Amino acid sequence: MLDVAVFGSLFLTLFVIMDPPGITPIFLALTAGRPAKAQKRMAFQAVCVAGSVIVVFGLLGHQILDYLHVSVPALMIAGGLLLLLIALDLLTGKTDEPKQTKDVNVALVPLGMPLLAGPGAIVSVILAVQKADGVTAQVSVWSAILAIHVVLWLALRYSLLIIRVIKDGGVVLVTRLAGMMLSAIAVQQIINGVTQVVRGG
């Protein structure tokens, strides 16, 4: 049986953080120009990578961070800086150049990590697993994690239909918009991390 409150709370939290609708234009921008079959495969790979990272940190998150002497705010700031670099590439059009990505699987980085499995999602899962007391709560937490990844895959998988409608010019526009959105997400993540450092101090 599931604890509906635990399931719903974590699912909604991850939905807001991982943002399936919001990641769609970024996915389209980063995979533009690739064959449809490759894009579908990359959608699946990105979700699998994100799921693997989330599971590892859900099981071993505290141990990993303690071993590396890394705080949660530091993880958030580092992730924000990485996202900001990616956003600048989208805004300046560097991802439009085939030489930039033809030999790089963007399903691994940046899609799987840190766009989907970013610091916010990782921290949320670590805390949820830590607070889940009992078998029912644990099952609810892991069910929510599985459910959000199914939603992510569906969003990315069927976002490919959009390309047939918006064509190449639309993809360029989506790329610029994605860069703007991603830069805002990155800056907000950095602000959140710095805020936690200041409050902790």
Side-chain angles (χ1 to χ4, degrees), residues 4-197:
V4 178
V6 173
F7 176 90
S9 176
L10 181 58
F11 180 84
L12 290 175
T13 299
L14 291 177
F15 188 90
V16 171
I17 293 174
M18 301 178 89
D19 192 14
I23 199 67
T24 298
I26 298 173
F27 171 75
L28 291 174
L30 291 174
T31 61
R34 298 175 186 271
K37 185 176 180 180
Q39 290 175 316
K40 293 175 183 178
R41 184 178 67 252
M42 293 174 76
F44 181 73
Q45 289 176 336
V47 174
C48 287
V49 169
S52 299
V53 172
I54 291 294
V55 167
V56 168
F57 275 92
L59 295 173
L60 304 170
H62 275 292
Q63 293 88 330
I64 293 173
L65 295 181
D66 289 343
Y67 178 77
L68 296 175
H69 303 289
V70 174
S71 66
V72 171
L75 185 65
M76 295 177 68
I77 294 171
L81 290 173
L82 180 56
L83 290 181
L84 188 58
L85 290 175
I86 297 165
L88 291 175
D89 280 346
L90 290 175
L91 285 170
T92 57
K94 289 185 178 180
T95 55
D96 294 337
E97 302 171 16
K99 66 180 182 180
Q100 292 283 61
T101 58
K102 67 179 182 179
D103 295 322
V104 177
N105 189 351
V106 296
L108 305 180
V109 177
L111 281 173
M113 173 79 178
L115 290 180
L116 294 179
I122 290 173
V123 171
S124 296
V125 168
I126 290 175
L127 295 177
V129 171
Q130 183 181 20
K131 294 178 181 178
D133 295 324
V135 176
T136 300
Q138 285 288 339
V139 170
S140 300
V141 166
W142 292 105
S143 296
I145 292 171
L146 175 62
I148 191 61
H149 283 83
V150 170
V151 171
L152 282 168
W153 177 76
L154 290 173
L156 296 182
R157 169 65 175 78
Y158 291 103
S159 68
L160 299 174
L161 298 176
I162 299 174
I163 296 178
R164 300 176 186 175
V165 178
I166 63 177
K167 306 298 183 182
D168 291 341
V171 170
V172 173
L173 176 60
V174 167
T175 299
R176 301 300 181 266
L177 291 175
M180 287 293 293
M181 290 188 296
L182 190 57
S183 62
I185 292 172
V187 170
Q188 185 61 56
Q189 192 163 284
I190 294 171
I191 291 173
N192 292 344
V194 172
T195 300
Q196 288 192 27
V197 171

